[in-house]
Amino acid sequence: MRKILVLAMLFISNVIVIYGQSSFDVADYVKRNVSISALQFSPDGNTLVYTITKVDWENNRRKTEYILLDVATKKQQELNFKQRNVTSLSWSPSGKYMSYLALSDTTGASLPQLYIKELSGDEAMCITTSKSGVINYSWSPNEDKIVYIAKDLPAIKEGTNKFVQAFEVGNNSYVTTTPSLAAHMFLINSKGGIAKRLTNGSWTVRVAKWITDSTIIFTKGETPYSGDLTKSKSVVYDINSGQIINLTQNSFPEFNPTPSPDKNTIAFLSSKNGMPENILEISLISIKDKKVLKLTDKLDRTISAFQWMPDTKALVLSTLDGAKAGLVIIGVDKKADRLPLRDVASIGDFAISKGGLIALSGSTSIGSAEIYFLNPSTTALEKVTSYNSFLEKFPLGKTEALEWKTSAGLTADGIITYPPGFIKGKKYPLVLYIHGGPTASSNISFNPFVQHLAANEWIVFQPNYRGSNNRGNRFQGAIANDGGNGPGEDIIKGVELLKQKGFVDEKKIAVTGWSYGGYMTAWLIGKYPAMWKAAVAGAAPVDVTDMSSLTDLNVMIRHALTSSPWKGDNYKKYYEMSPISNLSKVRTPTLIMSVVSDERVSITGSYKLYHALKANDVPVQFIAYPGTAHFPADPVNANDVYQRWTLWLKKYLN
C-alpha cells in the first residue's frame, strides 16, 4: 500500500513539474529572452551588424553582444572588443572600418571615447581624448573626418569657491544635482589628432549628420535643459565659413533631419500643423531651393521611424496602424504602398541595404523579436534568426483585436488575450493592462507580461484610449485638454463591450498600468470606485502640476497638456483633469510601485496616492525601488515588479 502511495505521489509530482514547465512564466522569459536592436547594413549590403542583449541572471546585469550576419549565407559571427561598454557601432562609408564608443581612461577618468577598428585587423585605435566624453558621432562621406558631440566642461573655480556646489535650476527635473551643460560639435581626423571645436554657445547640439564633406546638418536645441527639448530646430553648418543656417522657417520643432543618399534633400519629422499633441509627419526640403514638401500628410498615421531608399526616390516608414505595426514605402511623389508583413505585428528596428533589401526586428503574436529580411520588389519575407525559439514550447493565450465607438464619435480599439485553454461559456476574471505614453499603443504582438497574466486564468484587456498613436491624427489629438475623462470613458466602453460577450466575471475586474497607464489606473479607481476588485498603479502621475514642474519633461507642451497649469485659471482645469481630484473616493485595494529618482514621473505622485488611500482606510501597499530609471533597469528588480503585480492580483481575484 505504501509503495502504491509513493508511486502515486511521484506521478503527481511529475505532473506538477511538467505542468510548471509548460506554463508561461514571465520570470523564465526575463532570464532567457534575447532582444535585438541597432540593425545596420554594411555599405556594400553584404553584411548586417546588429546588437543582441541577454540577461546574466546570477550577476543581475544585461550582456550586450554584437553580431555580423552574412546576408547570403545567414552565417553569424560575434564581434569581439577589448574595450568596456561598447556602444554606437557604425560602419565607415567604405565599409573598411568599424567605429564605436567605449570607456577609456585616456583622460584620467573612465569616459566614452571614439574607437576605430579595421575589420581585417585586431587592434582598435582610440582617436579622441574628450575630457567630458563623447556622446555620439558621424563619419564624413569621404571618410577622412569625423564630427563628434561632447558636453562642455564646468567652469573652473578657484580658492574656496571650488567647494561651492550650487547651480542654477532651469527647465530640468527635480533630481538634477549638477548644472545642465551644453553640448557642441568637434571635428577630428579619422586617423586621430587634435580635435577642432566647431560650435559654441549656451544652446546645445543634439544630433549631427554629414550632408557633404563640407556641410553638416544638426538639431540645435535652444538650451541644454530637458524640458526645452521641443525647442529644437534643424540647421546646417558650413565647415569652411563656420556659418549656421536655418533649414526651414518653421516656428515649431523639427527632429531627426536625415540627408538623402544623393545629398540633395533633407527629410525631417515634425508634429502635424506644429501642434504637439498631433501625429508625427515627414517633410522633405530641397537643399538647393528650400522648397518644402509635406510627404506624409495624407497618410494619417504617426511615423515611428524612417529611412531613405538607396535610389533617393522613396522612403520606408515604420508606422502604427490599428492592431499591428506596419511598413510603408512612399515615393517622393507621395504615392504610398504598404509592405505585407504577414504575422509580424510589431517592429523594433529596421535597416535598408544598398540593393534595397530591408532587415527588420519583428515580433509576432506568439513570438518575441527575431530578424526578418523583406524584399520590397517581391514582398518576400524571410525569418533569418531563432534566438527566442524557446517560446514555442509554451501554450500561449490567443490574442485578438476589438473595436468600439467612443463618446466622441471616434473608433477606439483594444487587444484581448485569453487564457490558454479558454473555455467558451466560462466566466473569467478580467485584468486591464493599460499602456503608458499616452502617445503609445498596444497591439497583437507578443507581450510577455500579458501572457504571464493570462496564464493565471485571467482575461487580459489592453485598451487603446484616445491619445494612443495607432489610429491617426484625430484620435491621437483628441486627448488635448482631456487627459482623464475622455480616455477613461473610452476604456469603460471597451470593458462594457467585453461584459456583453458573457465571459467576464463582473465581480472580479482589476485595473493596472505603469506611467500613463498608472495615471489612468488612478483615474479609473477614483472616477468609477465601485467597479474594481483590485488595482496596480506603477509610476502613476496623479497630479499634473507635478508633471509640469518636477519631471524631465516639465514645461514641454505635450498630449493632454496644451499650456502651463500656472497660467491664468488653468490650474482648476488641470486639477480636475488629474486623478488627485478623485482620490478621496477610491475604495479599491491598490498596489503602488515607483522608482525613487524617476525623472520621467516623479515619485511624489505615488506618495500622494498612498496617503490618500491610507487616510480612507483602503488596503494599500507602496513599494519603492532605488534608482533613476522610469522602470527598474536591472533584470532581477524588473522581474520583482512583475511578481508583486501578479501576487497582488491573485490575492483579490482568486
Side-chain angles (χ1 to χ4, degrees):
M1 182 69 177
R2 182 180 178 185
K3 183 177 181 181
I4 294 173
L5 286 172
V6 170
L7 288 172
M9 291 301 293
L10 286 171
F11 174 76
I12 293 170
S13 175
N14 286 335
V15 169
I16 291 172
V17 170
I18 291 169
Y19 179 78
Q21 288 177 339
S22 61
S23 299
F24 182 82
D25 181 77
V26 72
D28 184 56
Y29 174 86
V30 169
K31 294 175 185 177
R32 300 174 63 182
N33 180 65
V34 175
S35 61
I36 302 170
S37 60
L39 281 63
Q40 295 180 64
F41 278 105
S42 58
D44 62 11
N46 295 330
T47 307
L48 180 74
V49 66
Y50 57 92
T51 303
I52 62 172
T53 305
K54 301 176 181 178
V55 165
D56 176 359
W57 185 256
E58 296 303 319
N59 294 297
N60 190 27
R61 64 188 183 93
R62 303 183 193 278
K63 300 186 299 181
T64 300
E65 298 175 7
Y66 299 95
I67 308 297
L68 289 175
L69 185 147
D70 185 279
V71 172
T73 66
K74 312 302 185 295
K75 183 179 178 180
Q76 300 169 29
Q77 172 191 345
E78 183 180 353
L79 279 170
N80 294 310
F81 303 96
K82 296 180 180 179
Q83 294 76 30
R84 297 169 294 144
N85 290 40
V86 171
T87 62
S88 306
L89 263 67
S90 178
W91 302 94
S92 69
S94 69
K96 182 179 180 181
Y97 302 98
M98 182 69 75
S99 54
Y100 54 90
L101 301 181
L103 294 185
S104 171
D105 299 322
T106 56
T107 60
S110 189
L111 295 168
Q113 301 294 346
L114 178 57
Y115 286 80
I116 295 178
K117 180 181 184 297
E118 191 169 351
L119 286 178
S120 59
D122 294 325
E123 294 297 323
M125 177 176 62
C126 181
I127 68 165
T128 62
T129 56
S130 171
K131 292 184 179 180
S132 62
V134 175
I135 299 173
N136 57 49
Y137 66 95
S138 176
W139 286 86
S140 65
N142 66 6
E143 205 172 274
D144 68 344
K145 298 181 290 292
I146 292 177
V147 64
Y148 69 87
I149 299 174
K151 282 190 176 182
D152 288 344
L153 294 171
I156 297 174
K157 298 178 181 179
E158 297 180 350
T160 56
N161 280 337
K162 65 185 178 184
F163 301 113
V164 176
Q165 296 178 314
F167 63 94
E168 183 177 356
V169 172
N171 292 330
N172 43 15
S173 82
Y174 78 116
V175 299
T176 302
T177 59
T178 57
S180 296
L181 300 170
H184 283 282
M185 295 192 302
F186 296 79
L187 188 68
I188 193 167
N189 190 287
S190 58
K191 301 298 182 183
I194 299 174
K196 176 185 177 183
R197 184 175 182 129
L198 298 181
T199 57
N200 285 280
S202 58
W203 50 272
T204 196
V205 177
R206 302 198 185 278
V207 179
K209 301 173 184 177
W210 293 83
I211 304 175
T212 68
D213 290 318
S214 61
T215 54
I216 298 168
I217 187 162
F218 69 92
T219 302
K220 180 184 178 184
E222 187 175 286
T223 78
Y225 297 123
S226 58
D228 295 331
L229 179 64
T230 53
K231 298 177 181 178
S232 300
K233 295 288 293 180
S234 297
V235 298
V236 176
Y237 179 85
D238 186 284
I239 290 178
N240 296 324
S241 66
Q243 187 178 9
I244 296 175
I245 306 165
N246 285 336
L247 184 66
T248 71
Q249 299 303 312
N250 291 334
S251 59
F252 48 83
E254 303 155 350
F255 303 102
N256 195 24
T258 304
S260 60
D262 65 6
K263 312 300 182 183
N264 292 326
T265 308
I266 304 293
F268 63 90
L269 286 170
S270 58
S271 56
K272 188 177 182 69
N273 299 324
M275 304 297 290
E277 68 269 23
N278 286 348
I279 62 174
L280 289 175
E281 294 184 330
I282 293 179
S283 295
L284 305 181
I285 182 167
S286 167
I287 294 175
K288 183 178 180 180
D289 58 21
K290 300 297 187 293
K291 287 185 178 179
V292 176
L293 170 70
K294 291 186 176 182
L295 185 68
T296 59
D297 56 338
K298 303 299 182 184
L299 194 60
D300 195 29
R301 286 295 181 267
T302 199
I303 309 303
S304 304
F306 68 91
Q307 290 191 36
W308 284 94
M309 286 292 282
D311 62 4
T312 307
K313 295 180 180 179
L315 293 89
V316 175
L317 323 174
S318 176
T319 67
L320 298 162
D321 193 7
K324 291 181 67 174
L327 279 182
V328 175
I329 185 166
I330 185 167
V332 293
D333 59 0
K334 302 180 72 168
K335 180 182 178 182
D337 292 304
R338 297 188 180 276
L339 297 171
L341 295 176
R342 297 207 305 265
D343 296 333
V344 174
S346 180
I347 299 169
D349 189 20
F350 72 95
I352 306 174
S353 77
K354 179 181 179 181
L357 179 69
I358 299 172
L360 60 94
S361 60
S363 303
T364 68
S365 63
I366 57 173
S368 195
E370 303 290 356
I371 292 178
Y372 294 80
F373 284 165
L374 173 63
N375 188 325
S377 60
T378 65
T379 69
L381 185 69
E382 178 187 11
K383 181 180 173 183
V384 296
T385 65
S386 55
Y387 289 111
N388 295 303
S389 58
F390 71 92
L391 290 169
E392 295 172 1
K393 74 174 186 177
F394 294 110
L396 300 176
K398 178 186 175 184
T399 299
E400 64 183 24
L402 178 76
E403 292 186 348
W404 64 93
K405 288 292 184 182
T406 74
S407 59
L410 301 166
T411 299
D413 65 21
I415 307 301
I416 313 166
T417 302
Y418 299 94
F422 172 79
I423 300 172
K424 190 174 182 180
K426 180 180 175 180
K427 289 186 179 291
Y428 294 84
L430 176 67
V431 176
L432 274 65
Y433 182 58
I434 306 175
H435 71 73
T439 48
S441 54
S442 298
N443 62 30
I444 61 172
S445 66
F446 176 77
N447 186 309
F449 189 48
V450 167
Q451 288 292 344
H452 173 78
L453 294 174
N456 284 277
E457 291 287 296
W458 304 326
I459 291 173
V460 185
F461 179 45
Q462 299 169 262
N464 289 320
Y465 46 89
R466 70 188 72 175
S468 302
N469 59 3
N470 66 325
R471 299 196 69 90
N473 190 65
R474 187 166 170 241
F475 190 75
Q476 180 174 315
I479 200 173
N481 296 316
D482 189 14
N485 260 324
E489 290 176 3
D490 296 348
I491 292 169
I492 296 300
K493 279 185 174 289
V495 172
E496 294 301 326
L497 182 57
L498 286 178
K499 287 181 181 179
Q500 295 172 19
K501 294 182 177 293
F503 48 60
V504 173
D505 184 341
E506 297 185 19
K507 295 181 179 180
K508 293 183 177 181
I509 303 178
V511 57
T512 73
W514 196 275
S515 193
Y516 209 89
Y519 174 103
M520 288 312 307
T521 296
W523 176 269
L524 291 167
I525 60 178
K527 192 73 173 179
Y528 307 89
M531 190 169 181
W532 316 103
K533 188 71 172 177
V536 179
V542 304
D543 188 341
V544 170
T545 62
D546 286 355
M547 293 300 295
S548 298
S549 303
L550 302 178
T551 73
D552 63 333
L553 302 181
N554 54 81
V555 299
M556 189 184 300
I557 302 302
R558 59 199 187 275
H559 48 81
L561 305 176
T562 60
S563 183
S564 168
W566 308 119
K567 285 185 176 181
D569 296 326
N570 282 353
Y571 175 77
K572 181 180 179 181
K573 174 179 67 177
Y574 282 130
Y575 173 80
E576 292 173 350
M577 192 175 75
S578 300
I580 197 172
S581 62
N582 293 305
L583 292 187
S584 63
K585 303 173 186 176
V586 175
R587 297 295 178 265
T588 306
T590 302
L591 171 64
I592 302 166
M593 292 184 283
S594 191
V595 178
V596 173
S597 298
D598 182 351
E599 281 193 294
R600 184 54 47 90
V601 176
S602 63
I603 197 172
T604 51
S606 293
Y607 275 96
K608 292 173 182 177
L609 177 58
Y610 173 72
H611 284 291
L613 271 59
K614 289 289 285 187
N616 289 282
D617 299 319
V618 179
V620 61
Q621 187 178 26
F622 181 11
I623 304 297
Y625 295 86
T628 59
H630 186 41
F631 186 89
D634 63 287
V636 171
N637 281 290
N639 179 63
D640 188 73
V641 170
Y642 300 136
Q643 300 307 323
R644 290 179 187 274
W645 197 313
T646 307
L647 288 172
W648 187 264
L649 295 179
K650 282 183 176 181
K651 181 178 180 179
Y652 292 97
L653 295 182
N654 291 355

